[in-house]
Amino acid sequence: MNKSNDKSRNKTRGVAGGAAKKAAVKSAPAAAEGAVSRALFIQTTQVLGAVLAFEFPADAVLSRHFRDNRELGHRDRGFIAETVYGVLRRLRWLRRLAGDKATPRELLLAWFARGEGWPMRNFEGLASATERDWVAAVKAAELGEASLAERADLPDWLAERLLRSFDEAGVLALAQGLNRPAPLDLRANLLKLDRDSLLARLREDGIAAEPGSLSPQAVRLSGKPALQKHPLFLDGSFEVQDEGSQLLGLLVQPRRGELVVDFCAGAGGKTLQLGAMMRSTGRLYAFDVSEKRLAKLKPRMARAGLSNVHPMLIAHENDAKLKRMAGKADRVLVDAPCTGLGTLRRNPDLKWRQSPAAVDEMVAKQGAILAAAARLVRPGGRLVYATCSLLAEENDAVVDAFLAAHPQFRPVAAQEVLDKQGVKMETGERLRLLPHVHDTDGFFAAVMERVADA
């Protein structure tokens, strides 16, 4: 039940989620000021080369590089991370400019020339005379007619899959949204304080923050301040969580004293939200196949002040440990492993690392996990299936197949569930969040209820 093939998604949940993610949220030094040293350029080239091997997730490569080069300052780390992510977002366009066989160094030069708009003087000291001539040619280059996938900076197969759900204009608009860096969202821990109190405290500390437009628990920051040492983070008053992700917890809508299951808990971002909504009462089981991820949940539980969470390691979705809970859960969340393509704002390397074969593998796994999780739901209980994928085969197709095979479950309109909690948005029966429309990660969710026994 990995969250994606490589956990690159990792739910993007923690303030302390690795040096790479901390650095990536910082703005790079202004290129036009000539702030990039030759040494920093060389390090950025090295990191980009390692990332473009696509052997490991980009954030893991960056984290490892920063651990091995602790002398790097905060701004330098930010520059490296943002530059690498910029190249990953526009890799197809850059290869059209620099050539399909362009080296990491050439891709960087092309990115600075066209993506960042550096003037030629910024390349002095970084590039040889021959390279500067090449850069000048890149700056002047005019690209011919491009395919939809090229214009969207997507691999061909992914653009073709998205055309099943969007027209060409829709694919381009979606791609533009995915190619923008994600904002920084927080979730107020309702056990500690409400959202208004969190906003007031952050503003007192000079942190520009506004209430989220969708989730009543969300706070959106105007900038990307470092928060891992902020007193409110250290005492568990907030967690970093995308506003769209927060809506999934609202669809579960757990109540005090209930038995609730987070079937694919990962490091527990949504588990923490569910536990706070339950006011730390009842029993909340966090299942996952990764002992390492569950270990990361335990200190977060303590910081959040939760005593009702029970992490449980399982071998697979049909683990014998689950049998004793069959038909007993009031609510079950299946935040299923998926390709993670809705998180490309945070993990742009995923679009180059996923494949049609990976999608097929995920779809089979999703169906099996959903069916297994459904067995835990009591009559009258609620089942929520969610992914951070944009592909219909991972979303609607999985739910439709499940409902056809399990007539004891009926769909519940997501819009009605959210409306009762003060979330005013048009979703229809199933929740669909899109970066260019809702300014969140891409999410899908379907709510189902097990029909009560006669």
Side-chain angles (χ1 to χ4, degrees):
M1 276 180 286
N2 292 341
K3 292 303 184 183
S4 66
N5 280 349
D6 49 29
K7 279 302 296 173
S8 58
R9 172 186 179 189
N10 234 1
K11 307 286 190 182
T12 59
R13 306 297 192 248
V15 173
K21 292 198 184 235
K22 296 175 195 170
V25 301
K26 288 296 180 180
S27 297
E33 296 173 0
V36 181
S37 67
R38 183 176 180 83
L40 183 57
F41 181 82
I42 291 172
Q43 283 215 32
T44 307
T45 306
Q46 292 171 342
V47 175
L48 180 61
V51 168
L52 291 179
F54 295 127
E55 295 179 2
F56 302 99
D59 59 348
V61 174
L62 285 159
S63 292
R64 184 171 63 245
H65 184 83
F66 295 152
R67 284 195 304 270
D68 294 343
N69 296 271
R70 297 184 183 279
E71 75 282 359
L72 281 171
H74 188 68
R75 285 173 61 85
D76 288 349
R77 291 179 179 223
F79 176 84
I80 292 172
E82 281 301 318
T83 300
V84 168
Y85 281 130
V87 171
L88 288 170
R89 290 184 179 107
R90 303 302 312 278
L91 184 58
R92 189 140 195 193
W93 172 65
L94 289 171
R95 282 180 168 156
R96 292 184 69 214
L97 285 166
D100 288 337
K101 297 183 179 180
T103 65
R105 181 179 177 88
E106 290 170 335
L107 289 170
L108 270 187
L109 292 172
W111 171 250
F112 291 140
R114 294 289 291 264
E116 297 285 358
W118 278 18
M120 287 303 299
R121 66 176 180 272
N122 279 39
F123 294 93
E124 296 176 7
L126 296 181
S128 66
T130 301
E131 286 177 322
R132 291 198 298 275
D133 290 341
W134 182 84
V135 168
V138 167
K139 289 175 74 70
E142 294 185 9
L143 298 177
E145 186 175 346
S147 67
L148 173 65
E150 289 171 332
R151 286 179 287 152
D153 269 288
L154 297 172
D156 290 341
W157 73 267
L158 181 52
E160 292 170 3
R161 294 288 180 102
L162 290 174
L163 278 173
R164 299 176 185 177
S165 302
F166 305 89
D167 59 17
E168 284 201 12
V171 171
L172 289 173
L174 173 61
Q176 289 170 2
L178 291 169
N179 279 334
R180 289 194 293 267
L184 182 58
D185 293 339
L186 310 180
R187 175 183 55 78
N189 179 358
L190 301 181
L191 280 180
K192 304 273 187 174
L193 79 180
D194 58 28
R195 179 172 69 175
D196 289 343
S197 299
L198 175 59
L199 280 167
R201 289 282 303 277
L202 291 172
R203 289 166 177 169
E204 286 174 8
D205 294 337
I207 298 175
E210 297 295 334
S213 61
L214 300 175
S215 168
Q217 302 172 18
V219 168
R220 175 156 292 181
L221 304 188
S222 298
K224 302 291 181 68
L227 297 170
Q228 64 271 16
K229 295 183 180 179
H230 193 282
L232 292 180
F233 171 71
L234 295 175
D235 74 7
S237 292
F238 70 79
E239 288 281 344
V240 172
Q241 185 178 357
D242 182 80
E243 187 172 15
S245 171
Q246 296 179 36
L247 294 185
L248 303 187
L250 297 181
L251 289 177
V252 178
Q253 200 179 7
R255 296 189 172 98
R256 295 173 186 251
E258 290 187 328
L259 193 160
V260 179
V261 174
D262 188 350
F263 202 80
C264 305
K270 294 183 188 68
T271 307
L272 299 178
Q273 180 189 14
L274 297 175
M277 293 174 71
M278 296 167 71
R279 299 292 177 177
S280 201
T281 66
R283 295 180 73 82
L284 173 56
Y285 288 92
F287 296 142
D288 204 82
V289 296
S290 169
E291 187 173 7
K292 183 177 180 181
R293 288 198 294 270
L294 289 178
K296 292 180 180 179
L297 170 59
K298 292 181 179 179
R300 299 177 72 191
M301 289 162 40
R303 190 175 68 241
L306 293 173
S307 59
N308 66 335
V309 180
H310 303 272
M312 184 178 293
L313 181 68
I314 58 176
H316 45 72
E317 67 270 14
N318 294 311
D319 193 304
K321 295 176 185 177
L322 302 174
K323 291 183 179 180
R324 71 175 188 267
M325 296 183 63
K328 295 180 179 179
D330 296 288
R331 296 165 199 272
V332 175
L333 170 63
V334 180
D335 188 9
C338 68
T339 55
L341 294 170
T343 69
L344 293 182
R345 300 187 305 172
R346 306 174 195 277
N347 305 296
D349 56 313
L350 267 180
K351 61 184 173 182
W352 311 118
R353 301 179 69 236
Q354 294 289 14
S355 67
V359 175
D360 294 340
E361 179 184 340
M362 280 296 170
V363 169
K365 184 180 295 185
Q366 288 154 356
I369 290 172
L370 180 56
R375 291 196 286 268
L376 306 185
V377 182
R378 66 165 176 81
R382 179 176 296 180
L383 175 64
V384 177
Y385 173 82
T387 76
C388 59
S389 175
L390 301 166
L391 300 180
E393 49 263 63
E394 294 188 82
N395 297 334
D396 290 291
V398 171
V399 174
D400 291 343
F402 171 81
L403 288 173
H406 297 80
Q408 69 271 39
F409 282 87
R410 68 174 186 87
V412 176
Q415 184 166 333
E416 293 180 8
V417 176
L418 294 176
D419 186 66
K420 290 177 181 177
Q421 297 173 83
V423 178
K424 305 298 181 183
M425 62 179 298
E426 294 186 8
T427 69
E429 184 172 291
R430 297 171 182 175
L431 178 70
R432 306 173 201 277
L433 296 175
L434 300 170
H436 64 295
V437 176
H438 303 101
D439 201 12
T440 69
D441 286 347
F443 283 103
F444 168 88
V447 183
M448 293 161 280
E449 180 180 71
R450 182 176 172 185
V451 178
D453 292 339

